[in-house]
Amino acid sequence: DEIFGVRVFTPKEIGIKMIMSHVPCHMTSMDRWDVNVHGHTHCNMVMKNVGKLYKEHWVEDPKYINVCVENINYTPIHFDEVLAKVVVK
């Protein structure tokens, strides 16, 4: 088995550009990826502001999938379950 610090999947492999990392990728680098599957943040989700000027409205960013144990009930999940959570626009 191989150990990766970061694992990248291509559209040829799974139909989307996905990066798996321990720490969430910075938002400014996410234009390269459809989704970032990550850990590190425990139950905290990566949020984005979808509000207007002077009226913030924060929602979970669909480009990030948090698979920390606290977020998945301390139970392993199948890769297909992760893929089912992907929202590609």
Side-chain angles (χ1 to χ4, degrees):
D1 291 336
E2 295 182 62
I3 298 174
F4 298 91
V6 170
R7 175 68 163 95
V8 173
F9 291 91
T10 65
K12 188 175 182 179
E13 294 172 291
I14 61 172
I16 58 172
K17 294 182 292 181
M18 181 172 75
I19 185 167
M20 298 178 79
S21 58
H22 175 74
V23 177
C25 295
H26 194 274
M27 290 176 181
T28 58
S29 66
M30 283 303 293
D31 58 337
R32 292 181 272 178
W33 315 107
D34 294 319
V35 68
N36 176 204
V37 178
H38 68 87
H40 186 73
T41 59
H42 303 278
C43 2
N44 300 311
M45 308 307 266
V46 176
M47 306 295 281
K48 72 176 184 175
N49 183 10
V50 295
K52 305 283 187 222
L53 187 63
Y54 304 115
K55 180 88 170 148
E56 293 184 350
H57 179 70
W58 293 88
V59 297
E60 287 182 30
D61 191 331
K63 290 191 85 159
Y64 295 87
I65 298 175
N66 182 348
V67 293
C68 291
V69 295
E70 297 91 344
N71 199 44
I72 60 171
N73 200 27
Y74 298 88
T75 306
I77 59 175
H78 194 274
F79 189 66
D80 290 341
E81 291 179 68
V82 174
L83 291 177
K85 295 176 185 228
V86 173
V87 177
V88 178
K89 292 184 179 185

